[in-house]
Amino acid sequence: MSVVTRQFQMVYLLLERGRMTAAELAERLEVSQRTVLRDVDALSAAGVPVYTTQGAGGGVDLLPGHVLDRAALSDQEQRQLLLALQSLPAGEGEQALTKLSALFRREREDWLQVDLTRWGAGAADNETFQLLKRAALERQILRFHYASSYGSTTPRRVLPARLVFKGQGWYLQAFDLDREDYRTFRLSRILSPQPTGETFHRRLEPPEADYSGEIPPLFRAEVRLRFAPALAYRVYDEFDQSCVAVQPDGALVVETVLPEDQWLYGYLLSFGTGVEVLSPALLRRRLAALGREIYFAHSSEPDTPCQVSGGMLEPSKPKEVPAMEQYKDMTFCQSCGMPLAPGTAHGTEADGSASPDYCSYCYQDGKFAGEMTMDEMIDFCAPMMAQGNPGMTEDQAKVQMRQFFPMLKRWRK
């Protein structure tokens, strides 16, 4: 940072905060207190009304009423400041934009407008944004319910840090008080946000908003997807162009990393017959089996035709389909998630035959060894998973299990 830039930054800090001690300025500017005092003398000599006071409550301050001359900002900085105001949601910052446009003697440019509401939505999206913004600025503790991509809606108490626009939506980065860690929440999934009436003074430093980095390694799926040419608009909306390879027939092949959880299957199904999973093979089989379950669930009236891929097909009479048949070759116990490696003791069916799906700890003689909920099973298994994975805590094990267990046969329903 140059001397001039540092001195102007000092003036901006004093304009924003009022009196500050030399120690506070030194910390913010990352210089010594001696350098701060030298800068004060230099600014005073240049005509900036900055002064120091001694004793308790003393520090560095500006004379009341002082404002910076517009010449203090370069032409590019003026344009950037006006652009920043114009990029605020519609109606917000309007007065400041008008005043600064007059001060800088610039005509307002009307090439950018930000509207936070979704297509077809009312003002609720903008109201949520304003509430979250006030909470972050005023450092208010928030509570709300959050609908996660893992199929659960949970209460949250958070310290709001900042709002981020990423990809195709707005997100709130906040410190989750119950989980004692930073979390990123999509605004459209935040339900009934309300300030608790409490404030906080903790310094918040959330990590960069990067969803791929939040996917636990066990649930990171490296996928290859083939999309029909007609879906090019969605492909380019939702994937970086570096991930997309256009084929000679116009199809688009996408290679990327996605979280393998309940969200992924719903997301892929949203493309209808316009997407084909090329890899991994297990994801392809699971999606096919899920599509078959959907088909039979919607063809319970055999006299009613159904439309598939634009053609009318008469569905055959529904038949009984083993639930989650696609898991028959999976190598994990479908109750506790333990790998069923060669030599692992399988549970037994009522006739004494080996169970293909369950381990001997969970299943004996055609029955589960004790009634329990999925959460109780997770609490029981987490210590063993953490012990078997050095460096993993029990809480981290529980996070992974809560994503994985809903896909297991015993808990899927």
Side-chain angles (χ1 to χ4, degrees):
M1 181 188 304
S2 68
V3 174
V4 173
T5 301
R6 186 180 68 240
Q7 291 173 352
F8 272 119
Q9 189 171 347
M10 179 188 294
V11 175
Y12 295 144
L13 284 169
L14 296 174
L15 283 169
E16 178 188 3
R17 299 191 172 197
R19 181 175 299 170
M20 297 178 67
T21 66
E24 291 171 334
L25 285 168
E27 181 181 359
R28 289 299 302 270
L29 300 173
E30 299 182 347
V31 296
S32 66
Q33 294 187 44
R34 185 184 298 273
T35 299
V36 168
L37 296 177
R38 283 202 300 265
D39 286 344
V40 169
D41 291 339
L43 287 168
S44 182
V48 179
V50 60
Y51 65 96
T52 60
T53 54
Q54 304 297 321
V60 183
D61 207 347
L62 288 167
L63 287 178
H66 174 71
V67 295
L68 283 176
D69 188 90
R70 66 170 180 263
L73 297 173
S74 68
D75 183 75
Q76 182 180 2
E77 289 169 336
Q78 291 178 21
R79 294 177 69 92
Q80 289 174 339
L81 181 57
L82 293 176
L83 175 61
L85 286 170
Q86 196 167 352
S87 65
L88 293 173
E92 191 170 338
E94 185 71 20
Q95 292 184 351
L97 182 59
T98 300
K99 291 177 181 179
L100 286 178
S101 297
L103 175 65
F104 297 152
R105 297 178 182 174
R106 290 181 175 276
E107 291 187 8
R108 293 178 53 176
E109 299 175 354
D110 196 25
W111 65 274
L112 176 68
Q113 179 179 354
V114 175
D115 187 344
L116 298 179
T117 59
R118 287 165 286 183
W119 294 105
D125 288 344
N126 190 57
E127 292 173 0
T128 297
F129 183 91
Q130 297 300 331
L131 186 151
L132 298 178
K133 184 194 76 171
R134 286 194 301 271
L137 290 174
E138 298 172 8
R139 305 179 73 77
Q140 300 176 352
I141 298 177
L142 281 175
R143 63 167 171 257
F144 53 82
H145 281 76
Y146 188 68
S148 75
S149 61
Y150 306 122
S152 61
T153 300
T154 54
R156 304 294 183 104
R157 290 180 67 252
V158 304
L159 310 181
R162 64 187 176 202
L163 291 159
V164 178
F165 186 84
K166 184 90 171 179
Q168 300 177 21
W170 283 96
Y171 296 83
L172 170 70
Q173 288 191 283
F175 186 85
D176 191 309
L177 291 172
D178 296 322
R179 291 153 183 81
E180 296 186 348
D181 200 1
Y182 288 100
R183 292 289 187 269
T184 299
F185 304 96
R186 190 177 178 106
L187 260 63
S188 57
R189 301 176 188 168
I190 294 177
L191 311 177
S192 305
Q194 292 293 334
T196 64
E198 307 168 81
T199 58
F200 63 94
H201 303 285
R202 177 175 183 162
R203 182 180 178 85
L204 299 178
E205 297 179 348
E208 289 298 315
D210 182 6
Y211 180 68
S212 63
E214 298 176 359
I215 307 174
L218 183 60
F219 307 105
R220 290 170 64 91
E222 296 183 5
V223 301
R224 291 183 71 243
L225 309 170
R226 181 184 178 92
F227 293 92
L231 289 173
Y233 71 100
R234 278 196 64 184
V235 171
Y236 291 118
D237 274 351
E238 300 176 29
F239 299 98
D240 189 275
Q241 292 188 29
S242 63
C243 303
V244 182
V246 181
Q247 306 302 298
D249 62 355
L252 302 99
V253 173
V254 173
E255 297 188 25
T256 188
V257 175
L258 294 172
E260 188 176 357
D261 56 23
Q262 291 177 330
W263 168 86
L264 178 58
Y265 296 95
Y267 177 69
L268 293 176
L269 288 170
S270 74
F271 291 95
T273 58
V275 65
E276 178 187 2
V277 177
L278 301 179
S279 67
L282 183 57
L283 175 61
R284 181 183 175 96
R285 291 196 297 271
R286 288 177 181 173
L287 191 66
L290 183 58
R292 183 171 60 179
E293 289 186 10
I294 293 173
Y295 170 78
F296 285 116
H298 289 80
S299 58
S300 57
E301 299 175 15
D303 295 332
T304 303
C306 66
Q307 185 173 353
V308 179
S309 304
M312 300 300 292
L313 300 177
E314 186 74 21
S316 58
K317 185 176 181 179
K319 58 183 179 180
E320 217 37 56
V321 179
M324 297 305 291
E325 184 182 346
Q326 72 271 28
Y327 287 123
K328 63 180 180 296
D329 59 350
M330 197 169 179
T331 57
F332 296 94
C333 171
Q334 297 297 294
S335 172
C336 68
M338 183 180 75
L340 293 176
T344 303
H346 284 243
T348 55
E349 300 293 350
D351 60 1
S353 62
S355 168
D357 297 319
Y358 301 108
C359 71
S360 60
Y361 299 101
C362 294
Y363 197 73
Q364 287 290 335
D365 300 324
K367 297 182 296 185
F368 291 111
E371 291 298 325
M372 62 174 61
T373 65
M374 186 180 74
D375 286 338
E376 289 171 341
M377 177 65 81
I378 289 173
D379 289 338
F380 177 78
C381 293
M384 291 178 282
M385 182 175 180
Q387 184 177 1
N389 293 270
M392 177 183 289
T393 67
E394 289 187 21
D395 286 340
Q396 290 170 332
K398 289 179 180 179
V399 169
Q400 292 196 12
M401 288 179 174
R402 289 191 184 105
Q403 298 172 50
F404 181 54
F405 272 45
M407 295 186 289
L408 298 178
K409 183 176 179 179
R410 181 177 182 182
W411 312 114
R412 182 171 173 79
K413 292 183 179 180

